[in-house]
């Protein structure tokens, strides 16, 4: 499933034939799939740089403040 900006969304695969019991499991499965897909493309180097920037900004702010 895609929106008008070509972003992909997880397809829940819910149909009118699903039972009420089927739907929560399908939602959980889709959530797990989305998290697994996110971890496949996760950029640990960019994450580390962002954390370092936040830590340094916080340190620099407080040294300036006092």
């Amino acid at each position: 499933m895609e929106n008008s900006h070509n972003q992909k969304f997880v397809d829940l695969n819910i149909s009118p034939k699903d039972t009420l019991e089927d739907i929560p499991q399908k939602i959980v499965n889709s959530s797990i799939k989305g998290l697994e897909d996110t971890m496949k493309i996760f950029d640990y180097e960019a994450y580390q740089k962002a954390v370092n920037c936040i830590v340094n900004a916080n340190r620099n702010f407080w040294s300036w403040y006092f």
Side-chain angles (χ1 to χ4, degrees):
M1 180 182 298
E2 294 187 24
N3 71 5
S4 61
H5 299 289
N6 294 325
Q7 296 173 326
K8 293 185 178 184
F9 294 103
V10 175
D11 187 359
L12 297 177
N13 294 316
I14 294 173
S15 76
K17 294 180 181 181
D18 290 334
T19 66
L20 288 177
E21 292 80 14
D22 292 337
I23 295 171
Q25 188 61 53
K26 286 187 172 192
I27 292 170
V28 168
N29 290 343
S30 294
S31 297
I32 291 169
K33 173 79 168 98
L35 292 168
E36 289 172 343
D37 290 348
T38 298
M39 292 309 299
K40 287 177 187 176
I41 63 168
F42 193 83
D43 186 340
Y44 286 95
E45 186 176 327
Y47 171 66
Q48 183 65 51
K49 286 179 183 179
V51 169
N52 289 338
C53 286
I54 292 168
V55 169
N56 290 331
N58 189 32
R59 195 175 297 138
N60 290 336
F61 173 79
W62 289 112
S63 65
W64 167 82
Y65 185 75
F66 291 105

